[in-house]
Amino acid sequence: MGLLKAVWRHPSGRIGAAIIFIFLVLAGLGVVGLTPHDPLKQFVVDRLKPPSATYWFGTDLLGRDNFSRLMLGISESFIVAFASVAVAASAGAVIGLFAAWWGHLWDGVLMRTMDVLLAFPAILLALLIVAIEGAGMVTSIVAIGIVYTPIFARVVRAPALALKAREFVEAARTFGSSQGYILTRHLLLNLVAPLTVQITLALAWALLTESGLSFLGLGTQPPAPSLGVMLAESKSMMTRAPWLMIFPGLTIMLAILGFNLLGDALRDILDPRTQGRAA
Amino acid sequence: MSTLLEVRDLHVGFGREPRDNEVVKGVSFGLEAGKTLAIVGESGSGKSVTALSVNRLVDFGGGRITKGKITLQRADGAAIDITAADEPALQRIRGREIGMIFQEPMTSLNPVHTVGAQIEEAFRLNRGLVGAAATRAAREALERVRIPDAAQRLRYYPHQLSGGMRQRVMIAMVLASNPRLLIADEPTTALDVTVQAQIMALLAELREELGMAMIFITHDIGLVAGIADDIMVMQHGVAVEQGKLDSVLDNPQHDYTRHLLKAVPHFTSGSAVRSDGGSHAAPIVTVDNLAVRFPVLKGLFRRKTGAVHAVDGVDFELRPGETLAIVGESGSGKSTTARAILGLVKATRGRIEAKAGRSGRPVQMVFQDPYASLNPRLNVEGLLAEPAIAAGQRVDAKLRQRMVFLLERVGLTKDALSRYPHQFSGGQRQRLCIARALMLNPDVVVLDEAVSALDVSVQARVLELLIDLQREFGLAYLFISHDMAVVERIAHRVAVMYAGQIVEIGKAAAVLGAPQHSYTKRLIAAVPAIERRRQHFAVDVTQVPSLVRPAGFEPPAAKWREAGDDHRVRVEETA
């Protein structure tokens, strides 16, 4: 609770948290079906209607409510983004920690593998993985997770190397502390701040990559809407029905902005030395 | 004698509201040409800020002079008020009229240029010398600071020189401009005692040769006793006492000066060693012929071409309840010995035997830097619990009871449990480290320079605590230190290490009072002391031998000579 309060006191954290909170509420309502209209139902008489009191964000070519579809789309995209970042952060943190801790050959093998992955452009690598495994939500999560793993491995390895040489780790060895204890309490715990910042930034990228994959038809499959699917469907009607493009596009932009603002705020708050108080 | 510098009612503040955050609150002093003023105080006393105000370097650290006047008599006779001078005028004064040397010579030198190039640059900027003339001037400057083989050293990079050499290079650079005032900000704090004595002797000689005035900032009142004419003692931004050196030292008026003089560990050549404790019981730690070597790898195939003999053939015994101090300078192998005992470095050869005593881990350690040895993310409860968790105990009410008991025993309160390391001062943190080391009820505590990073008055209290704890819990201490005065207070027995070997070991009174080995004698002669301030030290340029030996090298077996009851000295080779 203290952390939420601190985020709220932080000027940019408040904006970021508000944006993400609103999107999470919309996504949650979308998942449980509390949308103004059925997102998949086609109101044939109301095709391509501009925003109005009935259809807040207008309707699409098949007469489906754009706002309801957007709510469901946000939830689809967020689920993929959160899950893939969870995959990337855990895999990357483990790889980075072990590379730093074992050193020598392990460090070389693990980090060169990460370098190879890092050499591919994110969307291309994700495309490759999806092309091998076939499109779908789980594949998207795994693909985006793999794509962002090297970044987490890098973010963890460098400070872990520095922490490994710190006197408190040496002190822990003199007590006979176990490797697992040292890795979690002395290394990982001190990496919370950089990891949190990286996680929020990666959420923004993952969201963008998911949208990209769906836009290309390799992520979420229609008729289930995701932000990328909605953008793809809107492109042929950009001039006739601009609302179909504007709202999903604005959502992606705001979500990325929100994650970034939140990440900055969390970094300021989570480091006990910057505030002179314990978080 | 004319007055060179006159400071009147100086106030310096920091932050957005400098008037409300004053660090220096009304300091006045005068300095005559060719004289030396020592500013003494503990960290946070405002001594460095005062000195940095004299050349207005304080501006770059975010400080503002809020009130007062600093008048400098320039070389051409004109007087200038530093507080009102503009930046171009200040740049002409800095370096040319006021030179400055800092505490850490490595960070003051540029690592990618040779020292020769850096000294030449100083000559080019200040005297307009270029080419061969600059090179010659640089060589002469190095000779003047007594660096042997000056012509070769010009081509060295800073990392190839020792700390003392680097500080000499810094002094050579400062001297390039013939400053009339030299500000020295703790110039020897990062150096070993014998090197410190060399630098102090050098500064004293240079001052005579060049007739420059000096402001010497230090926390060590004993150090300046031999060099200063006047002394100013600062506390909380105020000069609590100032005057002629002898009158302040022999007849201090202010309580804080008296406290400082009392707190500074005086080295009294073994006459103040502890009379309590000590024992003749069977040793609890036995170190037999310990050697630690680090391989030197060279070339494409990482061939082993030799080894650094960090520790070579060290034997000693530690008995229950006694303090064995290992003294020596950086690189002497004293810390490596401690680390080998705790298993942090692998012994190349030899035997370390620690009797299992009251707990599974009879040996615990306290490190030098209380800021680095506590995980900043764990609260005190988590920090204290670690040794117990490592030993397989559960964190329960009984364990918490022991935490509170130890916290109170080391002078902290119960509510410290939920606080984090950054909420404590350096001295308190070191108390936490001591409490943590005692969690498992050890028999032996290795204290690796455990009080060296603390201010003198804090240091004195932590030492007292350590002695009390030793009596109460019957602890044996292995006390690693470079500070002879501190060692004298706490040690029952002393081992002197030099170049990876013990050269002298025995009862503290005997080793410190009647040193036999030439290195022990040199080490003891270098200790600054108020009592010995009128002795003159010649500049001594003895270098520590290299510890890198070719592959397969074995040192000759040590020959020992008994110098008395429990006092052994290594027989010196007469080469």
Side-chain angles (χ1 to χ4, degrees):
Chain A
M1 278 302 110
L3 184 62
L4 282 181
K5 246 183 225 162
V7 170
W8 196 248
R9 271 200 300 272
H10 193 278
S12 71
R14 183 184 307 193
I15 301 171
I19 295 173
I20 299 305
F21 180 73
I22 290 168
F23 282 144
L24 285 178
V25 168
L26 288 176
L29 292 175
V31 168
V32 297
L34 286 174
T35 49
H37 303 276
D38 183 345
L40 300 182
K41 190 174 175 200
Q42 301 177 5
F43 301 94
V44 187
V45 283
D46 290 328
R47 296 193 325 185
L48 288 180
K49 284 273 185 278
S52 65
T54 333
Y55 307 108
W56 297 344
F57 286 178
T59 58
D60 66 5
L61 187 63
L62 301 173
R64 294 174 298 194
D65 177 37
N66 201 27
F67 183 70
S68 305
R69 286 179 63 73
L70 196 65
M71 282 170 75
L72 202 57
I74 292 169
S75 69
E76 292 276 339
S77 294
F78 269 43
I79 287 168
V80 174
F82 276 97
S84 59
V85 169
V87 169
S90 4
V94 168
I95 290 171
L97 272 183
F98 282 128
W101 188 250
W102 288 330
H104 303 294
L105 188 66
W106 277 106
D107 190 21
V109 170
L110 290 171
M111 292 321 286
R112 291 305 77 75
T113 314
M114 293 297 107
D115 285 347
V116 170
L117 286 180
L118 209 53
F120 290 98
I123 192 86
L124 195 69
L125 184 59
L127 274 176
L128 192 75
I129 297 165
V130 173
I132 294 168
E133 289 298 314
M137 194 181 199
V138 177
T139 328
S140 299
I141 291 169
V142 172
I144 299 170
I146 291 173
V147 165
Y148 290 114
T149 296
I151 293 174
F152 281 97
R154 286 233 157 272
V155 160
V156 164
R157 178 183 166 269
L161 271 180
L163 286 168
K164 185 186 158 190
R166 291 279 290 275
E167 262 182 15
F168 58 77
V169 173
E170 209 164 37
R173 288 190 189 166
T174 69
F175 307 137
S177 288
S178 67
Q179 223 176 88
Y181 186 91
I182 294 175
L183 282 175
T184 49
R185 300 280 272 178
H186 291 310
L187 299 190
L188 203 56
L189 196 60
N190 276 293
L191 296 169
V192 165
L195 267 177
T196 314
V197 176
Q198 204 58 42
I199 283 172
T200 37
L201 283 175
L203 279 173
W205 303 330
L207 191 76
L208 202 60
T209 311
E210 193 281 332
S211 302
L213 281 179
S214 300
F215 185 83
L216 296 172
L218 294 166
T220 314
Q221 295 302 305
S226 86
L227 296 173
V229 169
M230 291 177 72
L231 273 182
E233 286 171 350
S234 76
K235 70 176 189 289
S236 56
M237 282 159 289
M238 213 188 277
T239 46
R240 280 174 63 204
W243 56 88
L244 289 179
M245 183 199 66
I246 287 169
F247 291 110
L250 214 56
T251 303
I252 293 173
M253 194 206 85
L254 280 176
I256 289 171
L257 181 72
F259 282 128
N260 280 316
L261 291 177
L262 195 61
D264 286 351
L266 284 173
R267 180 182 46 198
D268 291 350
I269 294 155
L270 283 175
D271 194 341
R273 279 157 300 189
T274 54
Q275 300 252 328
R277 50 175 286 280
Chain B
M1 273 292 186
S2 63
T3 302
L4 175 71
L5 181 73
E6 181 83 37
V7 175
R8 280 281 148 260
D9 195 27
L10 179 72
H11 289 251
V12 186
F14 281 81
R16 228 175 272 170
E17 292 293 335
R19 260 169 240 283
D20 299 333
N21 290 314
E22 283 189 349
V23 173
V24 176
K25 303 158 187 162
V27 168
S28 305
F29 63 87
L31 181 62
E32 286 178 8
K35 294 284 180 187
T36 300
L37 168 75
I39 305 182
V40 183
E42 297 185 86
S43 44
S45 63
K47 56 186 193 298
S48 290
V49 173
T50 304
L52 287 172
S53 301
V54 170
N55 55 7
R56 283 276 296 279
L57 275 179
V58 73
D59 291 21
F60 297 97
R64 284 282 165 278
I65 296 172
T66 47
K67 200 176 149 199
K69 211 170 158 74
I70 301 173
T71 319
L72 176 76
Q73 203 73 39
R74 300 194 57 173
D76 55 14
I80 178 168
D81 182 6
I82 304 269
T83 57
D86 56 1
E87 192 54 33
L90 288 171
Q91 277 177 13
R92 279 193 297 279
I93 289 170
R94 284 185 206 127
R96 277 172 227 196
E97 311 243 352
I98 304 177
M100 178 136 195
I101 49 177
F102 296 91
Q103 177 173 344
E104 187 43 71
M106 190 66 209
T107 51
S108 311
L109 289 169
N110 188 334
V112 299
H113 291 295
T114 61
V115 296
Q118 295 184 59
I119 301 171
E120 281 173 36
E121 191 193 4
F123 277 102
R124 185 173 57 78
L125 291 174
N126 289 308
R127 303 244 194 101
L129 296 180
V130 285
T135 311
R136 195 170 56 243
R139 201 190 65 230
E140 282 166 9
L142 280 192
E143 280 166 357
R144 199 158 52 169
V145 293
R146 278 73 165 172
I147 288 184
D149 308 326
Q152 264 115 61
R153 304 277 183 185
L154 285 175
R155 288 194 290 274
Y156 278 42
Y157 287 89
H159 71 266
Q160 294 171 300
L161 298 171
S162 65
M165 285 285 186
R166 277 183 226 138
Q167 197 58 288
R168 278 183 224 193
V169 169
M170 278 307 297
I171 295 172
M173 283 172 72
V174 172
L175 296 182
S177 53
N178 256 335
R180 296 161 67 239
L181 172 62
L182 176 66
I183 301 174
D185 189 357
E186 304 249 12
T188 60
T189 307
L191 305 175
D192 282 324
V193 263
T194 57
V195 181
Q196 164 172 294
Q198 291 166 17
I199 298 286
M200 293 305 287
L202 174 69
L203 284 173
E205 281 184 23
L206 289 172
R207 187 183 54 162
E208 299 302 316
E209 278 174 34
L210 307 170
M212 65 184 174
M214 246 167 56
I215 296 179
F216 199 98
I217 304 159
T218 183
H219 65 279
D220 184 352
I221 204 164
L223 178 64
V224 291
I227 197 170
D229 299 295
D230 296 302
I231 192 164
M232 178 161 88
V233 180
M234 287 190 70
Q235 185 192 20
H236 306 317
V238 182
V240 293
E241 183 157 1
Q242 56 197 119
K244 290 275 161 233
L245 178 81
D246 288 344
S247 72
V248 173
L249 292 187
D250 296 334
N251 194 11
Q253 297 299 312
H254 194 276
D255 282 343
Y256 181 68
T257 315
R258 275 196 286 262
H259 163 74
L260 213 55
L261 281 167
K262 214 166 112 254
V264 169
H266 291 271
F267 181 69
T268 55
S269 304
S271 58
V273 293
R274 289 169 65 182
S275 50
D276 67 308
S279 81
H280 297 282
I284 184 151
V285 176
T286 311
V287 174
D288 186 22
N289 197 23
L290 173 71
V292 180
R293 293 172 192 171
F294 302 107
V296 177
L297 306 173
K298 269 214 182 105
L300 190 62
F301 301 104
R302 319 267 301 146
R303 222 155 33 84
K304 194 179 153 194
T305 58
V308 178
H309 288 217
V311 175
D312 227 334
V314 162
D315 316 89
F316 62 82
E317 291 173 344
L318 181 63
R319 298 183 201 121
E322 75 164 5
T323 306
L324 172 66
I326 300 186
V327 297
E329 307 193 325
S330 49
S332 63
K334 55 187 197 307
S335 281
T336 310
T337 305
R339 269 146 219 263
I341 289 171
L342 281 145
L344 292 174
V345 295
K346 227 176 124 234
T348 313
R349 199 174 54 203
R351 196 167 57 90
I352 300 166
E353 215 168 81
K355 260 204 296 199
R358 294 180 286 226
S359 71
R361 290 205 158 245
V363 187
Q364 294 290 334
M365 184 159 175
V366 175
F367 291 84
Q368 172 172 10
D369 186 352
Y371 292 88
S373 53
L374 296 173
N375 184 344
R377 289 259 167 213
L378 293 179
N379 62 13
V380 171
E381 188 176 336
L383 290 167
L384 292 182
E386 184 173 356
I389 292 170
Q393 295 178 24
R394 294 170 63 96
V395 184
D396 53 16
K398 202 169 137 245
L399 192 69
R400 252 177 226 116
Q401 220 178 337
R402 178 153 181 86
M403 289 179 191
V404 173
F405 165 71
L406 282 173
L407 278 181
E408 281 168 358
R409 192 60 203 79
V410 299
L412 296 167
T413 52
K414 192 182 160 189
D415 56 298
L417 276 181
S418 58
R419 287 157 71 195
Y420 287 81
H422 69 270
Q423 295 168 306
F424 295 93
S425 69
Q428 288 174 320
R429 283 168 186 237
Q430 204 57 306
R431 286 163 192 269
L432 278 177
C433 292
I434 293 167
R436 182 171 63 167
L438 296 181
M439 275 304 285
L440 292 180
N441 198 12
D443 300 273
V444 179
V445 180
V446 176
L447 300 152
D448 187 3
E449 300 271 8
V451 298
S452 307
L454 307 175
D455 270 333
V456 278
S457 53
V458 179
Q459 188 180 59
R461 286 200 295 273
V462 172
L463 273 180
E464 272 167 35
L465 171 70
L466 285 171
I467 292 171
D468 287 347
L469 291 170
Q470 178 165 48
R471 284 201 203 104
E472 191 176 329
F473 298 113
L475 298 167
Y477 288 152
L478 188 65
F479 192 89
I480 317 283
S481 181
H482 69 279
D483 190 334
M484 302 297 273
V486 167
V487 163
E488 191 184 13
R489 277 196 186 182
I490 196 168
H492 297 108
R493 300 174 70 235
V494 174
V496 181
M497 277 192 84
Y498 179 64
Q501 299 173 326
I502 290 183
V503 295
E504 188 161 358
I505 183 168
K507 270 195 266 187
V511 174
L512 301 177
Q516 300 294 316
H517 194 275
S518 66
Y519 176 70
T520 317
K521 287 179 186 161
R522 222 167 59 223
L523 197 62
I524 286 174
V527 178
I530 293 168
E531 291 75 19
R532 290 188 288 163
R533 63 178 180 262
R534 284 178 195 86
Q535 287 177 21
H536 179 76
F537 296 107
V539 177
D540 168 13
V541 289
T542 319
Q543 293 289 315
V544 180
S546 166
L547 297 176
V548 182
R549 309 283 193 186
F553 175 88
E554 284 302 328
K559 289 195 213 61
W560 292 91
R561 170 167 75 79
E562 296 291 329
D565 174 34
D566 188 18
H567 186 182
R568 285 190 305 155
V569 188
R570 205 182 181 98
V571 178
E572 288 174 72
E573 305 287 325
T574 42

